[in-house]
Amino acid sequence: MNPAQKALWYIEGHLGKPLTLDEISGVAGVSRFHLVRAFAAATDFSVIRYVRARRLTEAAQALAAGAPNILHVALDADYGSHEAFTRAFRDHFGVTPETVRATACLDK
């Protein structure tokens, strides 16, 4: 398994926990610098951007499934406030978390 694959495997298994670049590069067995370059080459994302996108995707799935409290979903996705989560969610998906929860749809 190459370093990017090791990093992806680790990230996917630990999305609900705080992740650091040092921790991920340690698991991948390479320096931070090497991991950043290898990960970007393999995924076209930075490590942290990938982590944020995956957490937002998990949050969107929870909201579409009817999560009753957006703040709890935001905190689970490692955002410190409802406002920061809503801004990041809207920037990433083009709709607000309230819209996803109300429509219970992930198609768009």
Side-chain angles (χ1 to χ4, degrees):
M1 212 187 291
N2 69 40
Q5 290 171 324
K6 289 179 185 177
L8 282 168
W9 172 81
Y10 185 76
I11 290 167
E12 291 299 327
H14 296 85
L15 270 178
K17 300 174 185 172
L19 294 168
T20 65
L21 190 55
D22 288 330
E23 178 183 359
I24 297 167
S25 64
V27 169
V30 295
S31 69
R32 292 174 57 183
F33 176 77
H34 184 78
L35 178 64
V36 167
R37 292 179 55 100
F39 196 89
T43 65
D44 290 330
F45 286 97
S46 71
V47 176
I48 300 306
R49 185 173 168 213
Y50 179 83
V51 170
R52 287 183 185 145
R54 284 292 295 123
R55 286 180 176 163
L56 286 171
T57 300
E58 294 292 320
Q61 290 173 343
L63 291 168
N69 191 324
I70 293 174
L71 179 59
H72 286 126
V73 173
L75 295 174
D76 288 344
D78 206 27
Y79 285 87
S81 69
H82 184 288
E83 179 185 358
F85 174 70
T86 299
R87 189 178 322 113
F89 195 94
R90 186 179 49 242
D91 290 346
H92 189 75
F93 294 112
V95 295
T96 63
E98 291 83 3
T99 302
V100 171
R101 186 176 64 178
T103 61
C105 179
L106 295 175
D107 289 340
K108 298 180 183 178

